[in-house]
Amino acid sequence: MESQETLSGQVVGVEQDVTPTPVDVDAAVLLLGAGVTAVTHPLLYVKLLIQVGHEPLPPTVGSTMFGRRVLYLPGFFSYAQHIVKVDGKRGLFRGLSPRIMSSAISTVVRSKVKQVELLSKRDDKQTSLRKVVQETSHEMIIQCLSRVATHPFHVMSVRCMAQFVGREVKYSGMFSCIMKIFKEEGVAGFYVGLVPHVVGEVLFLWCCNLLAHFINTYAVDESFSQASAVRSYTKFVMGIAVSVLTYPFMLVADLMAVNNCGLAAGLPPHSPIFRSWVHCWNHLSHKGHLFRGSSFFFRRVPVTSLPSTRTDFAS
């Protein structure tokens, strides 16, 4: 009996040693997040430069399969090659440090908030819609807290990347960015563009979750053999569709983070000085640029005649 208890104790001890602790899991998630952030950074860098309207490469004249003449703007690869020519391969990772810090803080905030929710969660019987509303409310709280905690680093990253337009060196290291922004704009400077970012993310959450719920509940027939498989992909598909509709909020948030901060990308003639994010939205809407930067590869502008070379076409 004693030998069996000792053996079982040893087995349990081994299992406890093998089972990863929350600290190990968090560390692995942080490392994975940092890796994904680094790999995808060139994409977001090019996207940001397109968002601020910087088009250093001339468009090419082409035609569609129906014979319609269009101007093709440079895609991601052409744009990335231009950055490499100017700044080298390391230039593709300008502004990466604040983004990695933002990713790490977001992961920690989400983890802590979810732990609190699990401790306070009750096993009430709920209707399906009520459950979706409650879960979405929890997601919204997590997202808002995460955005408030990480937005200063987002502002720093955006400004570091936007320096490519005017070739400035105003924002270099993360500590230098913090000191510059605090000295010139105070605490408010770290939260420029926060409102449209939060509004866009909240709208995305509610629209995506509610649309997925109603489609799965009323549009997918239970008698369909692949109903469960279809339901598993509904939220993903809705996420893609809703992200297109909420993109203008992200665009306005990024432009406000750069606007009137002393960089050429946020000053005339590249950009007017906006009084508020609503003013920025109205300006983009009037110009037809609310979706500028939403595409990396199919960037074209219809033309009726061969124009002279310009650098301010919308994507």
Side-chain angles (χ1 to χ4, degrees), residues 236-285:
F236 173 74
V237 174
M238 288 299 99
I240 296 176
V242 175
S243 66
V244 174
L245 298 178
T246 57
Y247 175 81
F249 290 96
M250 308 298 115
L251 171 61
V252 170
D254 289 343
L255 292 184
M256 290 303 297
V258 178
N259 194 249
N260 198 25
C261 69
L263 299 179
L267 293 171
H270 290 89
S271 169
I273 296 177
F274 302 116
R275 297 185 301 274
S276 65
W277 72 270
V278 177
H279 180 204
C280 178
W281 180 291
N282 292 335
H283 172 78
L284 293 173
S285 178

Coordinates of all heavy atoms in Angstrom, one line a residue, residues 236-285:
F236 N -15.9 33.9 -38.5 CA -14.7 34.3 -39.3 C -15.0 35.1 -40.5 O -14.4 36.1 -40.8 CB -13.9 33.0 -39.7 CG -12.7 33.3 -40.6 CD1 -11.5 33.9 -40.1 CD2 -12.7 33.0 -41.9 CE1 -10.4 34.1 -40.9 CE2 -11.7 33.2 -42.7 CZ -10.5 33.8 -42.2
V237 N -16.0 34.6 -41.3 CA -16.4 35.3 -42.5 C -17.0 36.6 -42.2 O -16.8 37.6 -42.8 CB -17.4 34.4 -43.3 CG1 -18.0 35.2 -44.5 CG2 -16.8 33.1 -43.7
M238 N -17.8 36.7 -41.1 CA -18.4 37.9 -40.7 C -17.4 38.9 -40.2 O -17.5 40.1 -40.5 CB -19.4 37.7 -39.5 CG -20.7 37.0 -39.9 SD -21.7 38.0 -41.1 CE -21.2 37.2 -42.7
G239 N -16.3 38.4 -39.6 CA -15.2 39.3 -39.2 C -14.5 40.0 -40.4 O -14.2 41.1 -40.3
I240 N -14.4 39.2 -41.5 CA -13.8 39.8 -42.7 C -14.7 40.9 -43.3 O -14.2 42.0 -43.6 CB -13.5 38.7 -43.7 CG1 -12.4 37.7 -43.2 CG2 -13.0 39.3 -45.0 CD1 -12.2 36.5 -44.1
A241 N -16.0 40.6 -43.4 CA -16.9 41.5 -43.9 C -17.0 42.8 -43.1 O -17.0 43.9 -43.6 CB -18.3 40.8 -44.1
V242 N -17.2 42.6 -41.8 CA -17.3 43.8 -40.9 C -16.1 44.6 -40.8 O -16.1 45.8 -40.7 CB -17.8 43.3 -39.5 CG1 -17.8 44.5 -38.5 CG2 -19.1 42.6 -39.5
S243 N -14.9 44.0 -40.9 CA -13.6 44.7 -40.8 C -13.5 45.7 -42.0 O -12.9 46.8 -41.9 CB -12.4 43.8 -40.8 OG -12.4 43.1 -42.1
V244 N -14.1 45.3 -43.1 CA -14.1 46.2 -44.3 C -15.0 47.5 -44.0 O -14.6 48.6 -44.3 CB -14.7 45.5 -45.6 CG1 -14.8 46.5 -46.7 CG2 -13.7 44.4 -45.9
L245 N -16.1 47.3 -43.3 CA -17.0 48.4 -43.0 C -16.4 49.3 -41.9 O -16.7 50.5 -41.9 CB -18.4 47.8 -42.6 CG -19.1 47.0 -43.6 CD1 -20.4 46.5 -43.1 CD2 -19.4 47.8 -44.9
T246 N -15.7 48.7 -41.0 CA -15.1 49.5 -39.9 C -13.7 50.1 -40.2 O -13.2 50.8 -39.4 CB -15.1 48.7 -38.6 OG1 -14.3 47.5 -38.8 CG2 -16.5 48.3 -38.2
Y247 N -13.2 49.8 -41.4 CA -11.9 50.2 -41.7 C -11.7 51.7 -41.6 O -10.6 52.2 -41.1 CB -11.5 49.7 -43.1 CG -10.1 50.3 -43.5 CD1 -8.9 49.7 -43.1 CD2 -10.0 51.4 -44.4 CE1 -7.7 50.2 -43.5 CE2 -8.8 51.9 -44.8 CZ -7.7 51.3 -44.3 OH -6.4 51.8 -44.7
P248 N -12.6 52.5 -42.1 CA -12.5 54.0 -42.0 C -12.1 54.5 -40.6 O -11.4 55.5 -40.5 CB -13.8 54.5 -42.5 CG -14.3 53.5 -43.4 CD -13.9 52.2 -42.8
F249 N -12.7 53.9 -39.6 CA -12.3 54.3 -38.2 C -10.8 54.1 -37.9 O -10.2 54.9 -37.3 CB -13.2 53.5 -37.2 CG -14.6 53.9 -37.2 CD1 -15.5 53.1 -37.9 CD2 -15.1 55.0 -36.5 CE1 -16.9 53.5 -37.9 CE2 -16.4 55.3 -36.5 CZ -17.3 54.6 -37.2
M250 N -10.3 53.0 -38.4 CA -8.9 52.7 -38.2 C -8.0 53.7 -38.9 O -7.0 54.2 -38.5 CB -8.5 51.3 -38.6 CG -9.4 50.2 -38.0 SD -9.3 50.1 -36.2 CE -11.0 50.6 -35.7
L251 N -8.5 54.0 -40.2 CA -7.7 55.0 -41.0 C -7.7 56.3 -40.3 O -6.6 57.0 -40.2 CB -8.4 55.1 -42.4 CG -7.9 56.2 -43.3 CD1 -6.4 56.0 -43.6 CD2 -8.7 56.2 -44.6
V252 N -8.8 56.8 -39.8 CA -8.9 58.1 -39.2 C -8.1 58.1 -37.9 O -7.4 59.1 -37.6 CB -10.4 58.4 -38.8 CG1 -10.5 59.7 -38.0 CG2 -11.2 58.7 -40.1
A253 N -8.1 57.0 -37.2 CA -7.3 57.0 -35.9 C -5.8 57.1 -36.3 O -5.0 57.8 -35.6 CB -7.5 55.6 -35.2
D254 N -5.3 56.4 -37.3 CA -3.9 56.5 -37.7 C -3.5 57.9 -38.2 O -2.4 58.4 -37.9 CB -3.6 55.5 -38.8 CG -3.6 54.0 -38.2 OD1 -3.5 53.9 -37.0 OD2 -3.7 53.1 -39.0
L255 N -4.4 58.5 -39.0 CA -4.1 59.8 -39.5 C -4.1 60.9 -38.3 O -3.3 61.8 -38.4 CB -5.2 60.2 -40.5 CG -5.2 59.4 -41.8 CD1 -6.2 60.0 -42.8 CD2 -3.8 59.5 -42.5
M256 N -5.0 60.7 -37.4 CA -5.0 61.6 -36.2 C -3.7 61.5 -35.4 O -3.3 62.5 -34.8 CB -6.2 61.4 -35.4 CG -7.5 61.9 -36.1 SD -7.6 63.6 -36.6 CE -7.4 64.4 -35.0
A257 N -3.2 60.3 -35.3 CA -2.0 60.1 -34.5 C -0.8 60.8 -35.1 O 0.2 61.1 -34.4 CB -1.7 58.6 -34.5
V258 N -0.8 61.1 -36.4 CA 0.3 61.7 -37.1 C 0.0 63.2 -37.3 O 0.9 64.0 -37.4 CB 0.5 61.1 -38.5 CG1 1.6 61.8 -39.3 CG2 0.8 59.6 -38.4
N259 N -1.3 63.6 -37.4 CA -1.6 65.0 -37.8 C -1.1 66.0 -36.8 O -1.2 65.9 -35.6 CB -3.2 65.1 -37.8 CG -3.6 66.3 -38.5 OD1 -4.2 67.2 -37.9 ND2 -3.4 66.4 -39.8
N260 N -0.5 67.0 -37.4 CA 0.0 68.2 -36.6 C 1.0 67.8 -35.5 O 0.9 68.5 -34.4 CB -1.2 69.0 -36.1 CG -0.8 70.4 -35.8 OD1 0.2 71.0 -36.3 ND2 -1.5 71.0 -34.8
C261 N 1.8 66.8 -35.7 CA 2.8 66.4 -34.6 C 4.2 66.9 -35.0 O 5.1 66.6 -34.3 CB 2.8 64.9 -34.4 SG 3.4 64.0 -35.8
G262 N 4.3 67.7 -36.1 CA 5.6 68.2 -36.5 C 6.3 67.4 -37.6 O 7.4 67.8 -38.1
L263 N 5.6 66.3 -38.1 CA 6.1 65.5 -39.2 C 5.5 66.0 -40.5 O 4.3 66.4 -40.5 CB 5.9 64.0 -38.9 CG 6.5 63.4 -37.7 CD1 6.1 62.0 -37.6 CD2 8.0 63.6 -37.7
A264 N 6.2 65.9 -41.6 CA 5.7 66.3 -42.9 C 4.5 65.5 -43.2 O 3.6 66.1 -43.9 CB 6.8 66.1 -43.9
A265 N 4.4 64.3 -42.8 CA 3.2 63.4 -43.2 C 1.9 64.0 -42.6 O 0.8 63.7 -43.1 CB 3.4 62.0 -42.7
G266 N 2.0 64.8 -41.5 CA 0.8 65.3 -40.9 C 0.6 66.8 -41.0 O -0.2 67.4 -40.3
L267 N 1.3 67.4 -41.9 CA 1.2 68.8 -42.1 C 1.0 69.1 -43.6 O 1.3 68.3 -44.5 CB 2.6 69.5 -41.7 CG 2.9 69.5 -40.2 CD1 4.3 70.0 -40.0 CD2 1.9 70.3 -39.4
P268 N 0.5 70.3 -43.9 CA 0.3 70.7 -45.3 C 1.7 70.8 -46.0 O 2.7 71.1 -45.3 CB -0.3 72.1 -45.2 CG -1.0 72.2 -43.9 CD -0.1 71.3 -43.0
P269 N 1.8 70.4 -47.3 CA 0.7 70.1 -48.2 C 0.3 68.7 -48.2 O -0.6 68.3 -48.9 CB 1.3 70.5 -49.5 CG 2.8 70.2 -49.4 CD 3.1 70.5 -48.0
H270 N 1.0 67.8 -47.4 CA 0.6 66.4 -47.4 C -0.7 66.1 -46.8 O -1.5 65.3 -47.2 CB 1.7 65.6 -46.7 CG 3.0 65.5 -47.4 ND1 4.0 66.4 -47.2 CD2 3.5 64.6 -48.3 CE1 5.0 66.1 -47.9 NE2 4.7 65.0 -48.6
S271 N -1.0 66.9 -45.8 CA -2.3 66.7 -45.1 C -2.8 68.0 -44.4 O -1.9 68.8 -43.9 CB -2.1 65.7 -44.0 OG -3.3 65.6 -43.1
P272 N -4.0 68.3 -44.5 CA -4.5 69.5 -43.7 C -4.5 69.2 -42.2 O -4.4 68.1 -41.8 CB -6.0 69.6 -44.2 CG -6.4 68.2 -44.7 CD -5.1 67.6 -45.2
I273 N -4.5 70.3 -41.5 CA -4.5 70.1 -40.0 C -6.0 70.0 -39.6 O -6.8 70.8 -39.8 CB -3.9 71.3 -39.3 CG1 -2.4 71.4 -39.7 CG2 -4.0 71.2 -37.8 CD1 -1.7 72.6 -39.1
F274 N -6.3 68.8 -38.9 CA -7.7 68.5 -38.5 C -8.0 69.0 -37.1 O -7.1 68.9 -36.2 CB -7.9 67.0 -38.6 CG -7.7 66.5 -40.0 CD1 -6.7 65.5 -40.2 CD2 -8.4 66.9 -41.1 CE1 -6.4 65.0 -41.4 CE2 -8.2 66.3 -42.3 CZ -7.2 65.4 -42.5
R275 N -9.2 69.6 -37.0 CA -9.6 70.0 -35.6 C -10.0 68.9 -34.7 O -9.9 69.0 -33.5 CB -10.8 71.0 -35.8 CG -10.4 72.3 -36.6 CD -11.6 73.2 -36.6 NE -12.8 72.6 -37.2 CZ -13.1 72.6 -38.5 NH1 -12.2 73.2 -39.3 NH2 -14.2 72.1 -39.0
S276 N -10.5 67.8 -35.3 CA -11.0 66.7 -34.6 C -11.0 65.5 -35.5 O -10.9 65.6 -36.8 CB -12.4 66.9 -34.0 OG -13.4 67.0 -35.0
W277 N -11.3 64.3 -35.0 CA -11.4 63.1 -35.8 C -12.6 63.2 -36.7 O -12.6 62.6 -37.8 CB -11.3 61.8 -35.0 CG -12.6 61.5 -34.2 CD1 -12.9 61.9 -32.9 CD2 -13.7 60.7 -34.6 NE1 -14.1 61.4 -32.5 CE2 -14.6 60.7 -33.6 CE3 -14.0 60.0 -35.8 CZ2 -15.8 60.0 -33.6 CZ3 -15.2 59.3 -35.9 CH2 -16.1 59.3 -34.8
V278 N -13.7 63.8 -36.3 CA -14.8 64.0 -37.2 C -14.5 64.9 -38.4 O -14.9 64.6 -39.5 CB -16.0 64.6 -36.4 CG1 -17.2 64.9 -37.3 CG2 -16.4 63.7 -35.2
H279 N -13.7 65.9 -38.2 CA -13.2 66.8 -39.3 C -12.4 65.9 -40.2 O -12.5 66.1 -41.5 CB -12.4 67.9 -38.7 CG -11.9 68.9 -39.7 ND1 -10.8 69.7 -39.6 CD2 -12.3 69.1 -41.0 CE1 -10.5 70.4 -40.7 NE2 -11.4 70.0 -41.6
C280 N -11.5 65.1 -39.7 CA -10.7 64.2 -40.6 C -11.6 63.3 -41.4 O -11.4 63.1 -42.6 CB -9.8 63.4 -39.7 SG -8.7 62.2 -40.6
W281 N -12.6 62.7 -40.7 CA -13.5 61.8 -41.4 C -14.3 62.5 -42.5 O -14.3 62.0 -43.7 CB -14.5 61.2 -40.4 CG -15.6 60.3 -41.0 CD1 -16.6 60.6 -41.8 CD2 -15.7 58.9 -40.7 NE1 -17.3 59.5 -42.1 CE2 -16.8 58.4 -41.5 CE3 -14.9 58.0 -39.9 CZ2 -17.1 57.1 -41.4 CZ3 -15.3 56.7 -39.9 CH2 -16.4 56.2 -40.6
N282 N -14.8 63.7 -42.3 CA -15.5 64.4 -43.3 C -14.6 64.8 -44.5 O -15.0 64.8 -45.6 CB -16.1 65.7 -42.7 CG -17.2 65.4 -41.7 OD1 -17.9 64.4 -41.8 ND2 -17.4 66.3 -40.8
H283 N -13.3 65.1 -44.2 CA -12.4 65.5 -45.2 C -12.1 64.3 -46.1 O -12.2 64.4 -47.4 CB -11.1 66.0 -44.6 CG -10.0 66.2 -45.6 ND1 -9.9 67.3 -46.5 CD2 -8.9 65.4 -46.0 CE1 -8.8 67.1 -47.2 NE2 -8.2 66.0 -47.0
L284 N -11.9 63.1 -45.5 CA -11.6 61.9 -46.3 C -12.9 61.5 -47.1 O -12.8 61.0 -48.3 CB -11.2 60.8 -45.4 CG -9.9 60.9 -44.7 CD1 -9.7 59.8 -43.7 CD2 -8.7 60.9 -45.7
S285 N -14.1 61.6 -46.5 CA -15.3 61.3 -47.2 C -15.5 62.2 -48.4 O -15.9 61.7 -49.4 CB -16.5 61.4 -46.2 OG -17.7 61.1 -46.8

